[in-house]
Amino acid sequence: EVHLVESGGGLVQPGGSLRLSCAASDFIFTTYWMAWVRQAPGKGLEWVANINQDGSVQYYVDSVKGRFTISRDNTQNSLYLQMNSLRVEDTALYYCARDHISGWSLDSWGQGTLVTVSS
Amino acid sequence: EIVLTQSPGTLSLSPGERATLSCRASQSVGTHLAWYQQRPGQPPRLLIYHASNRATGIPDRFSGSGSGTDFTLTISRLEPEDFAVYYCQRNGNRFGPGTKVDIK
């Protein structure tokens, strides 16, 4: 069974930074695209970013471009999300997810880590 | 940008009934459409990928159909654990706003 465990969430002031981590296990990490998806309290799902197998290609939702950076360390089976210039509207539960092997969907999800941006 | 619309917003049904959920894209997405179920307090679970393929471990009462701009998720007979929110997703990124299936 695939395991994805997020960490690094917390309370941060507007304008601050956080780095989220996702530890992956029980699958061949280097085979898959990976993604971050967030969910604001009581709201729907919002795809944030994804990254290809070797980390050379990344895509972002417009609202985080220039502020967030997705990366991965294949030697550590880990995915990261560096979040800078945080805004109140970035408050959400952030999920790490694995792309389906055939693409175009997310077949495994972690439990999420909560980011709260507030003064 | 291709926008997804889901209808209805809420579907009130009884256990054993059939549920039909719709997802419409503003432009064609081919068959790059997935469906997820999210129960309260849980992460989403992939149900259907490539519009009509059931994900691993998903019961056969769940089925997906459609291509281009119009897609349907059908739950043939609702079980108690099926009352949840359902999201469609296009091209592996943007999600629709969701349909809540609640108990009538």
Side-chain angles (χ1 to χ4, degrees):
Chain A
E1 183 183 347
V2 172
H3 286 94
L4 298 168
V5 179
E6 303 93 338
S7 60
L11 174 63
V12 61
Q13 291 188 337
S17 299
L18 275 179
R19 188 192 196 208
L20 306 184
S21 300
C22 171
S25 59
D26 299 309
F27 67 100
I28 302 173
F29 187 65
T30 53
T31 304
Y32 294 86
W33 281 71
M34 298 294 296
W36 290 98
V37 176
R38 67 184 179 184
Q39 188 168 34
K43 302 297 184 183
L45 301 171
E46 182 181 38
W47 174 87
V48 174
N50 65 355
I51 188 168
N52 72 336
Q53 290 90 338
D54 67 5
S56 61
V57 177
Q58 308 93 34
Y59 296 104
Y60 299 91
V61 67
D62 285 349
S63 59
V64 308
K65 282 180 184 175
R67 300 189 298 123
F68 290 11
T69 302
I70 188 172
S71 63
R72 64 193 294 162
D73 182 343
N74 287 343
T75 67
Q76 298 290 321
N77 287 352
S78 293
L79 178 72
Y80 304 102
L81 186 68
Q82 177 66 44
M83 305 186 295
N84 298 330
S85 302
L86 282 161
R87 304 168 179 168
V88 171
E89 56 265 35
D90 296 319
T91 294
L93 186 64
Y94 283 73
Y95 293 106
C96 166
R98 185 184 81 169
D99 259 40
H100 192 278
I101 193 66
S102 66
W104 313 117
S105 60
L106 300 168
D107 68 355
S108 298
W109 297 66
Q111 291 296 314
T113 186
L114 181 63
V115 173
T116 303
V117 185
S118 175
S119 54
Chain B
E1 180 181 324
I2 300 174
V3 176
L4 296 178
T5 305
Q6 291 188 242
S7 60
T10 302
L11 191 55
S12 297
L13 294 168
S14 300
E17 288 194 295
R18 181 184 188 91
T20 303
L21 287 67
S22 174
C23 178
R24 179 164 291 177
S26 57
Q27 298 174 48
S28 176
V29 297
T31 58
H32 295 162
L33 195 286
W35 290 95
Y36 300 83
Q37 176 194 68
Q38 188 176 32
R39 296 169 177 150
Q42 294 294 315
R45 177 173 71 145
L46 177 66
L47 298 175
I48 301 289
Y49 65 96
H50 289 189
S52 61
N53 296 273
R54 267 189 304 277
T56 303
I58 301 304
D60 61 7
R61 65 179 181 273
F62 291 92
S63 63
S65 63
S67 65
T69 60
D70 289 294
F71 300 87
T72 301
L73 174 70
T74 302
I75 311 171
S76 59
R77 295 173 310 280
L78 283 164
E79 297 288 340
E81 62 268 27
D82 299 337
F83 292 93
V85 180
Y86 293 83
Y87 296 94
C88 58
Q89 181 196 31
R90 57 99 172 161
N91 301 117
N93 44 60
R94 274 52 164 189
F95 291 90
T99 290
K100 182 178 182 180
V101 178
D102 66 14
I103 299 177
K104 188 173 180 181

